[in-house]
Amino acid sequence: MGLYQRRGSRFWWMTYTMNEERCFESTKTTSKEIANKIWKHREGELALGLFKIPWAGERMRFGKLCEEFERSHFAGLTENTIRGHRSYLGNLKTFFDDRKLENITVSHVEAYRDERRQQPAKNRFGQTVKGATVNRELECFEVHAGLCDEEKVHR
């Protein structure tokens, strides 16, 4: 495992071995100090067996990814943050739960956004869900879906 700067990228990258395959992942930070902490955290997850998310090519459904994310990452979050993520995930799972990650397209995300904006708000009678709520849900979606296919390259 190691930490390095990739040519043409302003971010620090880490490399590690998982399931006898070498994996490369961006730390998404320009700070070497923060990148080192991220790398050490990943190293700890691998050593403890907490990081078990399959790579692209393995067929994973969105619901399974959410479960793995909760198991691996919720331990360090505050109760309010966990409550917010669970609320967002509940709505996302309703729409994406049975879909394989490799089959989720931009048009699916747009369909989710449009459908969600038409749903009635829980706390405001006669009004629909706010755009900001849908945006937060989609941001949560990006975080979850990004775990599987973002910047992880087998070489």
Side-chain angles (χ1 to χ4, degrees), residues 14-31:
M14 57 185 165
T15 180
Y16 50 89
T17 303
M18 184 168 128
N19 298 331
E20 300 180 10
E21 290 190 45
R22 193 166 175 203
C23 304
F24 304 86
E25 182 179 358
S26 173
T27 62
K28 298 183 182 155
T29 181
T30 56
S31 166

Side-chain angles (χ1 to χ4, degrees), residues 10-89:
R10 62 189 178 130
F11 299 125
W12 284 92
W13 287 69
M14 57 185 165
T15 180
Y16 50 89
T17 303
M18 184 168 128
N19 298 331
E20 300 180 10
E21 290 190 45
R22 193 166 175 203
C23 304
F24 304 86
E25 182 179 358
S26 173
T27 62
K28 298 183 182 155
T29 181
T30 56
S31 166
K32 187 173 183 178
E33 183 179 326
I34 294 171
N36 198 34
K37 288 179 182 180
I38 293 168
W39 175 56
K40 292 292 184 188
H41 181 74
R42 176 58 42 85
E43 191 175 57
E45 287 177 333
L46 290 169
L48 295 172
L50 297 175
F51 191 73
K52 297 180 181 176
I53 297 171
W55 304 110
E58 292 186 41
R59 300 205 165 109
M60 182 180 233
R61 300 198 181 276
F62 182 77
K64 179 67 175 162
L65 176 68
C66 291
E67 291 169 17
E68 185 64 31
F69 181 82
E70 283 184 43
R71 190 184 62 71
S72 298
H73 292 84
F74 274 24
L77 300 175
T78 65
E79 192 57 41
N80 286 339
T81 302
I82 291 171
R83 190 176 20 248
H85 277 288
R86 284 201 174 122
S87 171
Y88 301 151
L89 288 176

Side-chain angles (χ1 to χ4, degrees), residues 83-98:
R83 190 176 20 248
H85 277 288
R86 284 201 174 122
S87 171
Y88 301 151
L89 288 176
N91 294 317
L92 290 164
K93 282 181 179 180
T94 301
F95 191 86
F96 292 108
D97 193 37
D98 201 30

Side-chain angles (χ1 to χ4, degrees), residues 112-119 128-132 134:
Y112 170 79
R113 180 197 62 207
D114 296 341
E115 180 180 310
R116 186 77 175 107
R117 282 287 287 132
Q118 300 305 313
Q119 293 176 350
T128 59
V129 174
K130 289 183 178 181
V134 178

